[in-house]
Amino acid sequence: MDDKNLTRRAFLAATTGTIAAVAASRVPLYAKAGKEAGKLAIHGGKPVRAKAWPAWPQWDNSANEHVLSILRSGNWYRGQGNTVTQFEAAYAKLLGAKRCVCTVNGTNALLTALHILDVGVGDEVIVSPFTFIASYNVILNSSALPVFADTDIETLQIDPDKIEERITERTRAILPVHIYGLPANMDKILAIAKKHNLVVIEDACQAWLAEWRGKKVGTLGNLGCFSFQNSKHLPIGEGGAVVGNDEEMMDRVMSFHNCGRPFGSVKRTTDYPIVGTNRRMTEYQAAIGLSQIKRIEADTQKRVENASYLTSRIKDIPGIVPHKLYEGVTRAAYHLYPFRYKKEQFNNAPKEKFIAALNAEGVPCSGGYGPQYRDGLIEAALNSKNFTRSFPKARLDQYRKELDFPANEQLCQEAVCITQNLLLGPKQDMDDIADAILKIYENRDKLA
Ligand SMILES: Cc1ncc(COP(=O)(O)O)c(C=O)c1O
């Protein structure tokens, strides 16, 4: 290829097919191409992408009659029908788990799992700091201390090599979050749990059909929890599930979520043999879930193919660092597609400026999670009656001192995330995303 006369279009065409071939000489190529890239959309230029992206959620009419028939029957609660039971069986089968119990949402699935595994007052749970706030809240709501282990910046997951140093005599559980649907390092996490006699509750609320060494995440720990909220890959509006392989434990999950009523090995000694709560899913929620289950395998395959192609298109752009997957990952679910933005390669333009520019080019994206452990909610919990009574002051003071996670702080500053629905279109849609990033890189001198 003669790079003297290279236009931006020719460069993009070349990178689409043979990025490796041009990678060696990419810096001069980018520099030349930049002159012809056109004005950034954020400065009034033509956006790279004008077309709409695939909408989310997507559905066909298969749920209509089912939902209406439940409505017309008046049997809306799971005790009067079998739709929730059917959905539980279908979801367990999909994951290769022995059992599944549905709940009102993912938060309550996690609360249920924590309760059943006896996590409570005065206990500590090791968790990733880089996650949706619910992963912190469920531990605090269980009157336990969320003890963060720093993040592995390359994979965005809990750093397994930072877990053991956080274990104390109060540690009861590890709660790995498969954030963005990219699996955490389950080999190391399960080995640490075994060594220290801890239970593992997988927060798989963003990781439907993701796999670790051929097994679905959520089925590897003692219990796994999922969310079916509106934005999720199996969307119901609200909804959640606890999955597990231990029959006796799952009997207790079922019983606990249904006011403590007898179920299986939870025997009918009385009407309410164990303490319980009500976290039951409704029949119409389950009908929507059954229709959504039909599409999730094909959608997941599409997201994986597009994510891998997108990585091949952006990995050589200076200042763009795609996420890595652990060697044990046999499938990622891609609830979001993350990469890191290094502002030093973009004329020191802050990440917010880059995100605004990418949005203006027609590519919706966001900045990921912030360092929420510094937002005040943890400090308020530490000062609460509950925590001051159940933890010695020395432990809480030590905990405060250890709220320092350098890799996570860097990730919060650098992460840029593309939502899953952008991965559901044709391959050319990935070219639009890559071209928009490249255009911004080419115009970096005008960005800061
Ligand atoms: C990682 C993670 N954990 C837990 C939850 C809670 O799920 P829900 O919103 O269904 O309560 C979510 C939901 O977004 C999540 O992303």
Side-chain angles (χ1 to χ4, degrees):
M1 184 190 305
D2 176 8
D3 76 356
K4 283 200 189 92
N5 300 315
L6 189 77
T7 62
R8 178 171 182 273
R9 185 161 294 282
F11 175 77
L12 294 177
T15 56
T16 305
T18 56
I19 193 157
V22 295
S25 52
R26 69 181 182 253
V27 177
L29 296 182
Y30 282 116
K32 273 191 203 319
K35 306 277 185 296
E36 302 173 28
K39 208 188 210 181
L40 289 175
I42 199 171
H43 296 144
K46 187 166 173 280
V48 169
R49 170 85 181 194
K51 265 195 301 183
W53 297 94
W56 196 259
Q58 292 184 19
W59 66 97
D60 57 28
N61 290 334
S62 67
N64 294 6
E65 200 37 54
H66 200 175
V67 173
L68 275 176
S69 70
I70 292 167
L71 184 66
R72 289 184 190 117
S73 73
N75 297 329
W76 303 340
Y77 128 82
R78 70 171 297 170
Q80 296 171 314
N82 64 1
T83 320
V84 178
T85 307
Q86 274 177 40
F87 178 57
E88 287 171 342
Y91 196 61
K93 187 167 173 221
L94 188 70
L95 296 188
K98 275 202 185 140
R99 297 267 293 274
C100 165
V101 172
C102 283
T103 55
V104 287
N105 52 38
T107 303
N108 280 285
L110 285 162
L111 285 168
T112 301
L114 285 160
H115 175 85
I116 293 299
L117 289 165
D118 199 24
V119 175
V121 179
D123 287 336
E124 299 183 5
V125 178
I126 298 184
V127 66
S128 169
F130 193 77
T131 181
F132 181 57
I133 200 65
S135 314
Y136 297 22
N137 280 337
V138 292
I139 299 169
L140 294 168
N141 280 317
S142 304
S143 301
L145 197 58
V147 175
F148 303 103
D150 205 354
T151 306
D152 174 349
I153 195 162
E154 296 198 319
T155 62
L156 290 79
Q157 309 305 311
I158 191 167
D159 185 340
D161 298 328
K162 295 283 164 60
I163 291 178
E164 273 192 294
E165 65 200 50
R166 297 278 157 174
I167 294 175
T168 71
E169 73 279 4
R170 291 172 173 268
T171 308
R172 166 83 189 132
I174 308 176
L175 196 146
V177 186
H178 305 290
I179 205 67
Y180 298 156
L182 318 178
N185 188 331
M186 291 308 290
D187 286 358
K188 287 195 175 179
I189 291 168
L190 292 171
I192 294 167
K194 192 166 175 202
K195 181 172 159 196
H196 296 272
N197 197 23
L198 307 175
V199 294
V200 174
I201 298 160
E202 291 178 77
D203 181 341
C205 284
Q206 300 187 1
W208 325 258
L209 302 197
E211 287 175 12
W212 180 263
R213 301 200 190 284
K215 285 192 175 157
K216 301 285 186 292
V217 307
T219 67
L220 297 148
N222 297 79
L223 291 171
C225 298
F226 291 85
S227 167
F228 306 131
Q229 183 267 344
N230 227 89
S231 65
K232 303 302 186 342
H233 296 192
L234 202 163
I236 299 183
E238 296 285 0
V242 181
V243 303
N245 291 319
D246 180 322
E247 301 278 5
E248 190 271 331
M249 193 182 290
M250 291 306 291
D251 286 347
R252 281 190 288 129
V253 170
M254 175 59 96
S255 178
F256 177 70
H257 107 299
N258 185 24
C259 307
R261 293 194 171 95
F263 189 88
S265 53
V266 183
K267 296 278 186 244
R268 183 175 283 284
T269 48
T270 62
D271 281 351
Y272 304 102
I274 63 166
V275 170
T277 182
N278 177 358
R279 292 178 178 157
R280 293 184 302 255
M281 179 179 268
T282 63
E283 288 285 285
Y284 6 73
Q285 279 176 291
I288 297 171
L290 279 170
S291 91
Q292 286 292 324
I293 260 185
K294 291 184 201 149
R295 57 174 305 126
I296 192 167
E297 172 56 37
D299 283 352
T300 305
Q301 213 163 316
K302 187 88 191 161
R303 288 187 192 98
V304 169
E305 279 164 18
N306 274 332
S308 145
Y309 177 64
L310 181 57
T311 300
S312 76
R313 281 291 329 267
I314 66 173
K315 71 180 170 50
D316 292 317
I317 301 176
I320 301 295
V321 187
H323 63 275
K324 284 198 178 143
L325 299 173
Y326 290 110
E327 171 269 321
V329 175
T330 41
R331 196 184 217 188
Y334 289 105
H335 187 46
L336 289 111
Y337 176 98
F339 60 86
R340 284 187 289 132
Y341 166 79
K342 307 292 275 184
K343 68 175 181 183
E344 310 77 50
Q345 314 272 0
F346 278 75
N347 195 27
N348 278 322
K351 182 175 86 170
E352 294 65 36
K353 202 64 186 272
F354 172 80
I355 288 176
L358 197 50
N359 284 335
E361 295 300 337
V363 179
C365 60
S366 58
Y369 301 109
Q372 299 158 128
Y373 39 87
R374 290 205 263 100
D375 282 356
L377 85 156
I378 297 285
E379 187 53 31
L382 298 189
N383 292 320
S384 69
K385 187 175 68 183
N386 201 349
F387 278 77
T388 50
R389 277 183 185 167
S390 48
F391 289 90
K393 182 172 178 307
R395 173 64 188 121
L396 297 182
D397 287 346
Q398 177 69 18
Y399 177 87
R400 284 185 178 95
K401 275 198 216 126
E402 288 171 359
L403 280 178
D404 174 30
F405 311 105
N408 191 65
E409 295 279 334
Q410 189 185 334
L411 178 61
C412 293
Q413 280 169 25
E414 296 180 350
V416 177
C417 307
I418 291 173
T419 49
Q420 55 91 8
N421 59 307
L422 273 61
L423 303 178
L424 285 174
K427 199 174 166 190
Q428 295 86 311
D429 283 4
M430 302 308 103
D431 288 325
D432 284 346
I433 298 172
D435 292 354
I437 295 172
L438 189 55
K439 179 179 171 190
I440 298 169
Y441 175 73
E442 290 166 342
N443 284 281
R444 62 196 178 281
D445 57 324
K446 301 175 202 88
L447 196 59

